Amino acid sequence: MAGDQKGKAKAEQAKGKAKETIGRAVGNERLTAKGRAEQSKGDARQAKEKTKDVFKH
């Protein structure tokens, strides 16, 4: 399950980065902000999984 969560985190980060990049390219500030938010959510999920890994080992 942890691997699944790590994958979700990476996917969220990538999706957020893409939205941010597209938002900047077309000048859509809302899409840029949404992309940043998704990246942050992915970062938080990844940090949570790393913390869980530390306590497992």
Side-chain angles (χ1 to χ4, degrees):
M1 185 160 156
D4 182 45
Q5 292 298 318
K6 288 179 185 177
K8 284 183 182 179
K10 289 286 186 191
E12 234 167 15
Q13 289 169 328
K15 192 166 117 180
K17 183 67 174 173
K19 283 184 180 180
E20 181 182 5
T21 302
I22 291 168
R24 282 187 183 168
V26 298
N28 185 332
E29 192 58 39
R30 180 179 281 174
L31 187 58
T32 302
K34 192 172 183 179
R36 283 190 201 128
E38 279 189 35
Q39 280 182 308
S40 294
K41 189 175 173 185
D43 291 343
R45 185 187 304 258
Q46 188 176 37
K48 180 181 97 176
E49 292 303 316
K50 284 182 180 181
T51 303
K52 285 175 25 182
D53 286 345
V54 167
F55 286 107
K56 280 184 187 176
H57 301 247

